[in-house]
Amino acid sequence: MTLRKILFRSILLVFCSFLWTGAFSQEFNYEFTGKVVDKELHPISSATVIVNDKEQKHVSSAITDSLGSFILRHNKSIDGHTLKVQHLGYKEYQSLIKGANNNDLGTIQLLELDNMLKAVEVKAKPNLIEVNGGTITYNVENSIGGQDASALEALKRAPGVYVEGESSITLNGKGGVQILLDGRQTYLSGKELTDLLKSLSSNDLKSIEIINSPTAKFDASGSAGIINIKTKKIQIKGLNGNITSTVAYGVSPKQLQNMSVNYRVDKLNVFGSYNHTLGNYNYLYGSNRSQNGKSYNSHTEDVDKRQKMSARFGIDYLLNDKNTIGFLANGNFIFGGGITDTRTEISTQPSSVIEETLDAVNDYYGQVTSRYNFNLNYRYEDTLGHILNIDADYGLFDKWNKNLQSNTYKDVNGHVNEDNLYRTLNGIDIDMKGVKVDYSAKIWEGTVEAGAKYSQVSSANDSRFYHVIPTADSLDNRRSNDFQFDERISSAYLDYRRAIKKWSFQAGLRLEVASSEGLLFYKEDDQDKDSEIKRSFTNLFPFFSITTQPGENQNLSLSYAKRIERPAYQDLNPFIYMLDELSFWQGNPFLNPELTHRLTLLYSRRNSTVVTFNFAYSDQFNAKVTDTLETEKIVMVSRNVGIQKHWSLALTQNFSPKSWWDLSFNGLLYYIQNDVSFDEYRNLNLQQFAGRLSLLQSFRLPFKMKGEISASYNSKRLSGANTFSRAISQVDVGLQKALLGDKASLRIAVNDIYKGNQSKSNQSFPGFQSSNYGYFESRQVRLSFSYKFSNGQSGSQRTRKSALDSESGRIQ
């Protein structure tokens, strides 16, 4: 029996067994809802709510969500029972429940522990993976291997997440993921997004949330779901901070530094952080392609010499018990050189005798990427459930690079047949503005949410291509252009949810109106030319879900959502980037948005089990494809190629065989069908089953030590339009030792021990075949020392979302 069949049957058996258990569970006739906040009325998530009977025996329990809300259900009256609310750093709340009907317990306010807590050692058992309804959370701060690396490396360890080729992020085997950073978009996508995540330290991350069924409140982008990367929020009054220094070695040495500080007093909270990653990153990749009766065998050595830095600064001020204002600034900077050295051996089929070689060197002697984002926030919240949140955002993205490229053709004897030298100067400036208003209130025994958003994006792109000759550089007008792009998006949403006994219903509708204008300026036959592309779209995005509790601490939900995947701004830019004279990357100004209908069936049990089935139907499927150009060249370009159907079945399971041993398993089985067309003569209907397994184990060891082992396996899979990738696997290990009274820690970790994460793929269509490979320095050893200082007591710090949630994620 094949691995695919074993995986499918195992997951299906577990899934069916959970549904069987739920089918014979009892109904709940009584329901209690409430909300848990701190003394400043900020919601407290992950608080434990417990109901005990008159003999103090456990009856029911719940965990508060990110809004501090909870729901308690029971099949018998709990009148006169005891309600307890507990959370680390707060005094326990306790009261009697009065009334046997459905009740709103209102807002429960927890008080902070006083300074006597300093004399008490409080220990909580950390969970690496937590599940709460349809959200799966990977707690990066509790992971040894997830720390002392980049945010991208931490993201790779989250359940269901895979990063293809260091640039494309998929969730449960499907592309089109919306990435949020503390609820705000990162202003980047594609390669630029992964570069940003590489510049962020995983030591700044608290957790990674995977949201399988986003509601109408979220922007409609993200056909595969939403990943929200949450940074740490220091919940201590006074002056507190953390410093971590890391050295790493893969192919070359690297140094990572992370520093964060927080100062909180009375109504004022000021916080900031800085981190950098210094050192080169090495890549090896190549291809062997057959095209028009010739064979091209290419090998590239790529050294990325760019250094990465990021910083943030924020301030929150509590005007009174109901009103808060805040300011947040983020900056990310990538600068430095780089070099690629590509050698291509050319022969005429069927012979393998080399007839000619092409040696191409790209010297990126100047590269700078700067990203800034400024957020101003106002929030009103009262004890009756009325919440008003206003965000105003301004973002800047600036990128330029200078490249000198040589192309040298040699015959079999090493004689130079042709030698060409080019210089390219590219610049990108993107200006983004946005404002967003959200309001929620309790009405008709439920909760209604409404909001509106407006954003405007202006992009100026300039590309200059020169032939370098002994006398001077000569501008090539055919490959040079000026592209300007402006886009305006207005959106509004309405969402309502209500619980009736054991059932919960939620429905919402989002309206988005988008208009854009692209202007391309170029020269043709020494004449100035311009081309204008105007577009406008109006789309409705419905969402609904039905949730029931088949048993205590169990949830079963069915949801539907319509989603959209707009092209990245740089995919619309018709720039041409050369790897060598035979290989190009190019933008496509005629790209249309991809629309997806998504159906999700989800089962969750306690804080340990999530089973998810997804079906997604994507029209105008957008994929990066490799196509032929002229007789001997290839071009990599994004296109709307047709329709994609995607089925997936995923299981996330936590369990603890021993008190000192925790495991988290994630299994995924998915099926992709691509009905795509490159042109009227090349129509492909491709199908592929694929699977992914990952197991994360943590151990509590003697002498204040912790250990961690993680392993993952990806089967053969279909990605993009017509790329089939071979199976890969990876094993990571880590060890941590607490020092200086738990104020410091020493960690060592080794990733990809046996270098199993080496990609190989194939793609073909009539007249073209290509085999590709790549390795991205995944095997590394890291040694780090971390020290934290604190002179305060427990408090809270808020998070907020940006008005540029969608647009910022489309910069590439």
Side-chain angles (χ1 to χ4, degrees):
M1 186 179 294
T2 64
L3 174 64
R4 182 176 67 198
K5 293 182 179 179
I6 294 174
L7 177 62
F8 176 79
R9 292 183 180 181
S10 299
I11 296 178
L12 186 61
L13 179 62
V14 175
F15 180 65
C16 292
S17 67
F18 287 140
L19 295 184
W20 180 268
T21 301
F24 290 93
S25 298
Q26 53 197 338
E27 295 187 358
F28 297 100
N29 300 317
Y30 298 92
E31 179 177 88
F32 294 83
T33 62
K35 184 174 183 179
V36 180
V37 300
D38 61 16
K39 70 176 184 178
E40 295 172 349
L41 303 183
H42 296 150
I44 299 177
S45 63
S46 302
T48 303
V49 183
I50 303 171
V51 175
N52 291 335
D53 62 16
K54 297 177 181 179
E55 298 178 355
Q56 294 304 304
K57 294 182 179 179
H58 180 268
V59 172
S60 182
S61 61
I63 302 293
T64 59
D65 60 19
S66 60
L67 299 177
S69 301
F70 65 87
I71 299 176
L72 290 166
R73 296 183 176 95
H74 197 58
N75 62 322
K76 297 180 180 180
S77 172
I78 52 176
D79 187 27
H81 288 16
T82 301
L83 175 71
K84 294 182 180 181
V85 182
Q86 301 170 338
H87 193 269
L88 182 64
Y90 294 87
K91 295 179 180 179
E92 181 181 273
Y93 173 89
Q94 184 172 317
S95 70
L96 289 178
I97 298 175
K98 297 182 179 180
N101 298 320
N102 288 358
N103 284 282
D104 182 0
L105 298 177
T107 300
I108 299 171
Q109 192 174 65
L110 298 186
L111 301 178
E112 301 170 1
L113 291 172
D114 54 31
N115 291 332
M116 293 177 60
L117 183 64
K118 295 181 178 180
V120 181
E121 183 179 13
V122 181
K123 294 185 178 180
K125 180 181 178 180
N127 291 317
L128 289 178
I129 307 293
E130 295 181 345
V131 294
N132 185 6
T135 300
I136 301 174
T137 301
Y138 167 50
N139 291 310
V140 181
E141 63 180 351
N142 294 335
S143 170
I144 299 174
Q147 297 187 66
D148 311 320
S150 67
L152 181 66
E153 291 300 320
L155 182 61
K156 292 178 181 179
R157 301 166 69 88
V161 178
Y162 181 70
V163 181
E164 188 87 41
E166 294 291 289
S167 61
S168 177
I169 299 173
T170 65
L171 178 60
N172 293 331
K174 179 170 176 55
V177 183
Q178 184 182 174
I179 302 291
L180 304 180
L181 183 60
D182 282 330
R184 302 181 303 277
Q185 273 287 355
T186 56
Y187 279 79
L188 304 168
S189 67
K191 185 64 167 62
E192 296 303 334
L193 171 60
T194 56
D195 280 343
L196 168 66
L197 296 179
K198 289 176 183 178
S199 74
L200 297 176
S201 171
S202 62
N203 294 78
D204 273 340
L205 306 186
K206 174 181 175 61
S207 62
I208 295 173
E209 294 180 340
I210 299 171
I211 305 172
N212 286 287
S213 300
T215 67
K217 181 177 181 179
F218 291 93
D219 189 272
S221 297
S223 58
I226 291 177
I227 297 176
N228 183 27
I229 301 174
K230 299 178 68 174
T231 58
K232 290 180 180 178
K233 308 297 177 183
I234 301 177
Q235 298 181 345
I236 305 293
K237 289 185 176 180
L239 179 65
N240 313 275
N242 186 83
I243 300 175
T244 301
S245 295
T246 303
V247 291
Y249 189 87
V251 178
S252 58
K254 301 158 184 61
Q255 196 275 325
L256 296 83
Q257 187 68 44
N258 173 257
M259 294 178 286
S260 61
V261 65
N262 187 94
Y263 180 69
R264 184 172 182 224
V265 58
D266 297 328
K267 298 181 178 182
L268 180 68
N269 188 55
V270 181
F271 56 94
S273 66
Y274 164 83
N275 72 79
H276 70 234
T277 301
L278 306 179
N280 299 340
Y281 280 82
N282 298 265
Y283 307 90
L284 299 174
Y285 49 88
S287 66
N288 188 353
R289 76 176 190 270
S290 174
Q291 181 178 347
N292 291 324
K294 285 197 171 185
S295 176
Y296 303 85
N297 190 355
S298 298
H299 176 79
T300 300
E301 295 182 5
D302 187 340
V303 181
D304 185 354
K305 300 179 181 179
R306 295 175 300 168
Q307 312 305 305
K308 306 170 184 68
M309 295 182 179
S310 67
R312 65 172 178 159
F313 169 80
I315 183 170
D316 290 328
Y317 184 75
L318 185 67
L319 298 174
N320 52 47
D321 290 343
K322 299 179 181 179
N323 298 274
T324 306
I325 58 173
F327 172 78
L328 181 63
N330 287 282
N332 298 87
F333 314 95
I334 305 174
F335 54 90
I339 192 165
T340 68
D341 189 345
T342 303
R343 179 180 177 86
T344 303
E345 299 173 343
I346 306 171
S347 59
T348 300
Q349 297 176 330
S351 173
S352 60
V353 177
I354 299 173
E355 300 173 350
E356 189 178 29
T357 61
L358 168 60
D359 292 315
V361 176
N362 282 284
D363 181 6
Y364 291 92
Y365 60 92
Q367 295 183 105
V368 173
T369 299
S370 302
R371 165 192 171 266
Y372 305 89
N373 183 48
F374 306 94
N375 170 264
L376 185 63
N377 173 266
Y378 166 77
R379 182 179 178 88
Y380 169 87
E381 183 175 2
D382 61 24
T383 57
L384 300 177
H386 300 94
I387 301 175
L388 175 65
N389 193 85
I390 302 175
D391 277 288
D393 281 81
Y394 180 62
L396 291 170
F397 179 83
D398 174 69
K399 178 180 179 179
W400 58 264
N401 62 66
K402 300 177 180 180
N403 177 36
L404 188 64
Q405 183 187 96
S406 63
N407 286 264
T408 305
Y409 294 87
K410 298 179 181 179
D411 61 20
V412 292
N413 298 316
H415 297 143
V416 176
N417 294 332
E418 187 179 352
D419 195 4
N420 300 316
L421 188 62
Y422 308 107
R423 189 189 310 275
T424 57
L425 306 177
N426 297 318
I428 304 170
D429 291 290
I430 298 179
D431 184 271
M432 308 175 69
K433 308 178 186 70
V435 62
K436 179 169 69 79
V437 180
D438 296 289
Y439 176 76
S440 66
K442 293 185 177 180
I443 187 172
W444 303 319
E445 299 183 4
T447 300
V448 63
E449 294 181 304
K453 184 179 109 173
Y454 174 79
S455 64
Q456 181 177 353
V457 177
S458 300
S459 173
N461 310 267
D462 182 72
S463 177
R464 295 292 177 262
F465 189 93
Y466 296 89
H467 295 266
V468 179
I469 55 179
T471 55
D473 290 357
S474 175
L475 180 66
D476 186 341
N477 290 322
R478 298 172 304 165
R479 298 180 180 178
S480 302
N481 64 59
D482 183 3
F483 179 70
Q484 298 180 11
F485 181 79
D486 291 283
E487 181 184 62
R488 293 158 298 281
I489 300 178
S490 301
S491 61
Y493 74 90
L494 182 65
D495 187 271
Y496 179 75
R497 64 179 182 271
R498 181 181 176 183
I500 302 176
K501 293 187 178 180
K502 69 170 184 175
W503 296 90
S504 296
F505 304 89
Q506 184 167 1
L509 184 65
R510 187 178 188 92
L511 169 67
E512 293 192 357
V513 179
S515 62
S516 64
E517 180 180 6
L519 288 172
L520 178 64
F521 301 93
Y522 60 98
K523 280 194 174 184
E524 187 176 280
D525 299 328
D526 293 327
Q527 298 293 321
D528 291 330
K529 301 281 187 177
D530 65 79
S531 179
E532 183 179 25
I533 302 174
K534 287 188 175 182
R535 289 180 178 169
S536 61
F537 300 96
T538 300
N539 287 294
L540 286 172
F541 299 96
F543 169 86
F544 74 83
S545 70
I546 303 174
T547 303
T548 186
Q549 285 197 334
E552 187 175 357
N553 296 315
Q554 299 180 51
N555 285 282
L556 180 65
S557 67
L558 176 68
S559 64
Y560 163 81
K562 181 182 177 182
R563 313 288 291 171
I564 191 172
E565 197 66 31
R566 296 187 181 89
Y569 298 123
Q570 294 316 303
D571 281 346
L572 296 169
N573 188 342
F575 278 3
I576 295 177
Y577 295 91
M578 294 174 55
L579 178 63
D580 55 35
E581 285 188 337
L582 303 177
S583 306
F584 301 83
W585 287 270
Q586 185 175 7
N588 179 6
F590 301 101
L591 277 176
N592 287 316
E594 172 188 316
L595 294 173
T596 298
H597 298 272
R598 180 178 172 86
L599 189 68
T600 301
L601 178 64
L602 186 145
Y603 171 84
S604 64
R605 183 176 183 271
R606 299 185 185 275
N607 191 27
S608 58
T609 305
V610 172
V611 182
T612 308
F613 171 79
N614 285 305
F615 171 72
Y617 178 93
S618 299
D619 194 12
Q620 301 186 101
F621 175 49
N622 185 342
K624 284 183 169 62
V625 301
T626 300
D627 202 355
T628 55
L629 185 66
E630 299 175 5
T631 59
E632 59 183 6
K633 301 175 182 179
I634 58 172
V635 59
M636 286 150 277
V637 61
S638 292
R639 289 179 181 167
N640 298 109
V641 291
I643 293 173
Q644 183 184 76
K645 299 176 183 178
H646 182 278
W647 295 262
S648 68
L649 183 65
L651 167 67
T652 298
Q653 177 68 59
N654 296 331
F655 50 99
S656 299
K658 301 290 183 179
S659 60
W660 48 268
W661 182 13
D662 296 323
L663 296 94
S664 180
F665 168 81
N666 179 256
L668 170 67
L669 178 67
Y670 63 96
Y671 176 77
I672 291 179
Q673 180 180 359
N674 286 348
D675 188 0
V676 298
S677 175
F678 284 30
D679 53 40
E680 60 180 322
Y681 304 106
R682 295 176 296 172
N683 301 307
L684 305 175
N685 193 307
L686 307 174
Q687 303 92 26
Q688 180 65 52
F689 272 103
R692 186 175 191 270
L693 300 171
S694 66
L695 182 64
L696 185 60
Q697 304 180 73
S698 61
F699 310 90
R700 287 174 291 280
L701 306 174
F703 309 109
K704 293 186 176 182
M705 297 179 67
K706 294 194 301 183
E708 185 177 286
I709 301 176
S710 66
S712 63
Y713 171 82
N714 289 274
S715 71
K716 178 183 178 182
R717 58 205 177 277
L718 172 62
S719 56
N722 63 328
T723 301
F724 289 90
S725 301
R726 73 157 195 177
I728 59 173
S729 60
Q730 181 170 329
V731 174
D732 310 328
V733 297
L735 187 66
Q736 175 177 296
K737 174 72 169 68
L739 303 169
L740 304 178
D742 292 338
K743 290 184 177 181
S745 61
L746 185 66
R747 288 184 291 270
I748 184 170
V750 182
N751 283 1
D752 196 9
I753 295 176
Y754 56 86
K755 292 179 68 173
N757 193 2
Q758 300 187 52
S759 65
K760 287 188 178 180
S761 62
N762 298 280
Q763 50 188 317
S764 63
F765 49 79
F768 176 83
Q769 288 185 338
S770 177
S771 298
N772 312 287
Y773 63 90
Y775 173 67
F776 300 100
E777 199 176 353
S778 57
R779 182 167 68 179
Q780 291 186 29
V781 57
R782 303 193 305 269
L783 179 66
S784 70
F785 177 80
S786 180
Y787 179 79
K788 58 184 178 181
F789 56 90
S790 174
N791 63 356
Q793 63 183 51
S794 178
S796 66
Q797 180 175 320
R798 68 194 189 120
T799 61
R800 53 183 177 267
K801 295 186 178 181
S802 162
L804 297 174
D805 279 357
S806 176
E807 294 72 19
S808 58
R810 294 167 57 203
I811 301 176
Q812 191 177 53

